[in-house]
Amino acid sequence: LQAAKESKFYGRLTQSVIRKAFEFIEDKDFAFSINISAEDITDRSVEEFIYKFLEDNRHMTHRLIFEILESESVENYEPLSLFIDRVRSLGVKVAIDDFGSGYSNFSHIANLSPDYLKIDGSLIKLTPRSDKTRAVVSSIVDFSHKLGVKAIAEFVSDQEIYEQVRTLGIDYSQGFYIGKPSEDLT
């Protein structure tokens, strides 16, 4: 991805991923997520492509979740907030991905008001054996719930983690314990 960013192909790659995801999911009956970055949202050509593409495919937008990737480069929340408001008006849900890793901070949740907050697997996998990690995750869940944001646990790989996630009040789980990735989605 870094090479695509440096060679100016990143925006075209994002557009291609969105087109292909919609093509693949069109005859399926389930929701789907597409990861996008702050760079995608602030790239005017990508942003306009997304709006036009969603307008042209409104019959499917209620099944789409844009997962905004954590980034240290977010300095101005206004473009992200405007993007979220606009895609939401088209029926799309929004998640903050990998919260709790890298440059995470609670202002992401407060400033962007996502529908979902995906708690990073590096925290989730430690919850059964670390009181400190459990306290951090519990704080994230409590804060998100107070803002009306659903929490999703990433990396739920076994029953012990799953039970801990449930105890912490996390709304949804994803990981190998729930289901392994599959190419056969027919």
Side-chain angles (χ1 to χ4, degrees), residues 49-61:
F49 165 82
I50 289 171
Y51 296 147
K52 170 119 178 55
F53 194 84
L54 294 177
E55 285 285 350
D56 293 345
N57 292 279
R58 286 204 65 158
H59 65 286
M60 293 173 53
T61 57

Side-chain angles (χ1 to χ4, degrees), residues 25-36:
I25 207 78
E26 188 166 21
D27 61 346
K28 315 281 187 300
D29 190 29
F30 47 80
F32 63 108
S33 296
I34 298 174
N35 286 22
I36 60 172

Side-chain angles (χ1 to χ4, degrees), residues 44-159:
R44 194 77 176 131
S45 65
V46 173
E47 180 188 29
E48 288 305 317
F49 165 82
I50 289 171
Y51 296 147
K52 170 119 178 55
F53 194 84
L54 294 177
E55 285 285 350
D56 293 345
N57 292 279
R58 286 204 65 158
H59 65 286
M60 293 173 53
T61 57
H62 67 284
R63 297 190 292 145
L64 173 61
I65 301 168
F66 273 134
E67 294 185 19
I68 300 174
L69 303 169
E70 274 290 348
S71 171
E72 73 278 8
S73 65
V74 178
E75 295 174 8
N76 181 1
Y77 286 99
E78 187 175 352
L80 294 177
S81 286
L82 292 172
F83 176 83
I84 289 170
D85 289 345
R86 187 157 177 195
V87 298
R88 258 205 198 116
S89 75
L90 297 169
V92 176
K93 300 273 190 227
V94 176
I96 301 295
D97 196 21
D98 297 330
F99 190 83
S101 67
Y103 294 87
S104 298
N105 63 59
F106 286 90
S107 68
H108 275 85
I109 305 168
N111 289 323
L112 299 177
S113 300
D115 299 291
Y116 305 102
L117 180 69
K118 296 183 72 176
I119 303 170
D120 191 70
S122 64
L123 291 172
I124 296 299
K125 69 182 179 181
L126 296 176
T127 58
R129 55 187 181 278
S130 169
D131 293 338
K132 289 180 182 178
T133 302
R134 251 190 326 279
V136 169
V137 171
S138 180
S139 295
I140 293 170
V141 172
D142 184 52
F143 184 74
S144 66
H145 285 168
K146 284 180 179 174
L147 294 177
V149 176
K150 299 284 187 188
I152 300 172
E154 297 181 327
F155 204 88
V156 177
S157 58
D158 59 38
Q159 185 171 355

